[in-house]
Amino acid sequence: MVGKATISVLILALLLLTTSIFIATVDLRSYLYPILLPRPGGRFPCSTGGGPLMVYMYDLPRRFHVGMLRRRSPADESPVTAENLPPWPSNSGLKKQHSVEYWMMASLLYDGGGGNETREAVRVWDPEMADAFFVPFFSSLSFNTHGHNMTDPDTEFDRQLQIDILKILRESKYWQRSGGRDHVIPMHHPNAFRFFREQEGIVRAKLAKLLAGYDDVIYEQSFASGANIKVVCTILIDLSTQGMRSSKFCLHPAGDTPSSCRLFDAIVSHCVPVIVSDQIELPYEDEIDYTQFSIFFSDKEALEPGYMIEQLRQIPKERWVEMWRHLKYISHHYEFQYPPKKGDAIDMLWRQVKHKLPRANLDVHRSRRLKVPDWWDHRR
């Protein structure tokens, strides 16, 4: 008897459900469509939150990147892999200062050890799966190699490379889709990509927009003896690095170029930076508090005779030791290396790119629905 009653209830429930679907009071699409329909573009919206940044790297001829490392290298257009990636020249001098593009490319080529969960960015071969697009054009090296005198005939080679790379990008449906907002072209040198950089909406990957000093001026303070601060002026890079490692404070006055590596040399040398600038953009400042290991002076304070020296003399030894220890703790964030490691300079740089993407996506989505394209910018 109980069995018959149960069957009757089930039949009644089935009839009610069928009737509800027929008269459209129950819509099963809201339950079934997320399962039955494929995900557009292969990625969930806002998918960069938890895992590594998924980066698609354009496959460009070597003349745009590693072909510039050696001017007399034999013609070779084979694909660049982790196995055949040429090392960065050890005697490259100034060019080594502007090698960020090389290390970013190398980090995407590397495919061994540690697993994706320990990396901020990994390469994907399907552009539909990408969060961002990396363009391996060594723009800074191109300027140093082809256009460093600004007026020499080689400058035309630098300009032609820029023309060619923009032609490739403008023909890409992924560049067209976002207007280049989710594309990354490293531009560390202030004159990199100088012919066309203001014409394109590019996510510019850079370590910092810094004001550099004309001289390497290093201050050393002896806490034990209370001696006067010793000023060591160095010109050669090797002498400068050695002076930083033996000094307590390293002075960084504002200068004429935004690409000096002097601040980073001081940090990895564990020399407390003394930064003189009213306007300076520092790398990773959304994550790192520079006041914990740096001293800041305004331009006006620096021009007051004896003011900075007196302020540095008054810093207690305990405070300096605290800053020095903090430098040792964070210095690995400013070092390039291959194979890449968690938290190194390039890993941190990819994190900065990841932080920029939500705003880039916002601009893309907003531009698609606005009837007056520049309305939003005008209202701010």
Side-chain angles (χ1 to χ4, degrees):
M1 190 70 179
V2 175
K4 292 182 179 180
T6 302
I7 294 174
S8 300
V9 171
L10 291 175
I11 293 175
L12 179 61
L14 182 60
L15 288 174
L16 289 174
L17 178 60
T18 304
T19 304
S20 298
I21 295 174
F22 181 76
I23 64 175
T25 58
V26 175
D27 188 357
L28 291 183
R29 293 175 298 175
S30 60
Y31 300 96
L32 297 179
Y33 272 27
I35 301 174
L36 298 178
L37 292 182
R39 290 182 279 115
R43 298 281 289 166
F44 282 116
C46 305
S47 59
T48 62
L53 188 69
M54 312 298 279
V55 182
Y56 176 82
M57 180 165 62
Y58 281 85
D59 184 15
L60 299 177
R62 288 184 173 229
R63 63 190 176 96
F64 289 105
H65 39 78
V66 297
M68 287 184 269
L69 294 181
R70 295 177 180 86
R71 303 192 73 168
R72 292 182 175 84
S73 59
D76 181 9
E77 291 303 328
S78 61
V80 181
T81 65
E83 289 71 28
N84 63 21
L85 175 69
W88 187 266
S90 59
N91 60 344
S92 60
L94 178 65
K95 295 177 183 177
K96 191 173 183 179
Q97 176 180 344
H98 304 292
S99 61
V100 61
E101 49 229 359
Y102 170 87
W103 301 108
M104 293 186 75
M105 180 180 182
S107 71
L108 294 178
L109 290 173
Y110 181 71
D111 57 2
N116 291 345
E117 68 278 358
T118 66
R119 303 170 61 184
E120 290 294 338
V122 295
R123 185 182 185 183
V124 294
W125 296 94
D126 182 0
E128 295 292 341
M129 297 291 292
D131 301 312
F133 296 80
F134 180 70
V135 183
F137 172 44
F138 290 4
S139 59
S140 298
L141 183 58
S142 178
F143 172 77
N144 277 293
T145 302
H146 303 305
H148 60 282
N149 290 330
M150 301 292 284
T151 57
D152 62 33
D154 286 347
T155 299
E156 185 58 31
F157 290 98
D158 181 32
R159 185 176 186 275
Q160 189 60 50
L161 284 175
Q162 296 175 40
I163 292 174
D164 293 345
I165 193 65
L166 286 177
K167 183 177 185 297
I168 293 173
L169 292 176
R170 287 166 177 162
E171 292 175 352
S172 165
K173 73 172 186 178
Y174 301 102
W175 176 277
Q176 297 171 12
R177 185 177 65 184
S178 66
R181 291 182 179 91
D182 53 3
H183 282 56
V184 180
I185 302 180
M187 299 180 190
H188 187 241
H189 194 284
N191 291 314
F193 222 104
R194 71 185 188 278
F195 293 106
F196 302 101
R197 66 186 300 168
E198 300 304 328
Q199 300 179 20
E200 302 296 333
I202 298 170
V203 178
R204 294 177 187 165
K206 58 182 181 242
L207 282 180
K209 183 179 180 182
L210 297 173
L211 299 176
Y214 290 102
D215 300 300
D216 291 314
V217 184
I218 303 173
Y219 289 94
E220 182 178 32
Q221 180 176 11
S222 173
F223 291 105
S225 62
N228 292 333
I229 294 176
K230 180 175 64 176
V231 180
V232 182
C233 297
T234 61
I235 299 177
L236 298 177
I237 294 178
D238 291 340
L239 292 177
S240 174
T241 303
Q242 182 180 358
M244 286 182 177
R245 290 174 180 171
S246 62
S247 300
K248 300 295 190 298
F249 298 101
C250 293
L251 182 64
H252 302 277
D256 64 343
T257 172
S259 59
S260 172
C261 62
R262 192 170 301 120
L263 173 61
F264 311 117
D265 288 341
I267 291 175
V268 298
S269 299
H270 306 153
C271 180
V272 174
V274 179
I275 302 173
V276 180
S277 178
D278 291 333
Q279 298 178 348
I280 187 170
E281 183 179 343
L282 297 168
Y284 330 135
E285 199 167 8
D286 56 340
E287 300 184 59
I288 295 178
D289 182 3
Y290 280 77
T291 62
Q292 295 183 338
F293 57 85
S294 304
I295 306 297
F296 292 88
F297 291 98
S298 67
D299 293 341
K300 182 179 179 181
E301 291 171 331
L303 293 174
E304 185 177 339
Y307 178 80
M308 290 175 54
I309 299 289
E310 186 59 32
Q311 293 298 311
L312 292 177
R313 284 199 183 104
Q314 294 179 14
I315 295 178
K317 179 180 179 180
E318 294 74 17
R319 171 59 179 151
W320 180 88
V321 171
E322 181 182 352
M323 289 189 290
W324 175 75
R325 287 176 175 168
H326 203 87
L327 279 170
K328 293 184 66 176
Y329 178 73
I330 56 91
S331 62
H332 67 285
H333 294 320
Y334 302 85
E335 297 176 349
F336 296 148
Q337 53 196 340
Y338 187 82
K341 293 184 179 179
K342 180 70 174 177
D344 65 9
I346 295 302
D347 206 46
M348 293 289 288
L349 191 54
W350 281 121
R351 288 176 67 168
Q352 295 299 301
V353 173
K354 188 175 181 179
H355 294 168
K356 289 176 179 286
L357 280 178
R359 178 52 192 262
N361 291 332
L362 174 64
D363 290 340
V364 170
H365 298 162
R366 182 174 286 149
S367 66
R368 289 173 180 170
R369 56 93 175 168
L370 289 178
K371 300 298 183 182
V372 181
D374 59 351
W375 170 80
W376 189 265
D377 290 331
H378 285 174
R379 70 181 289 274
R380 287 184 292 180

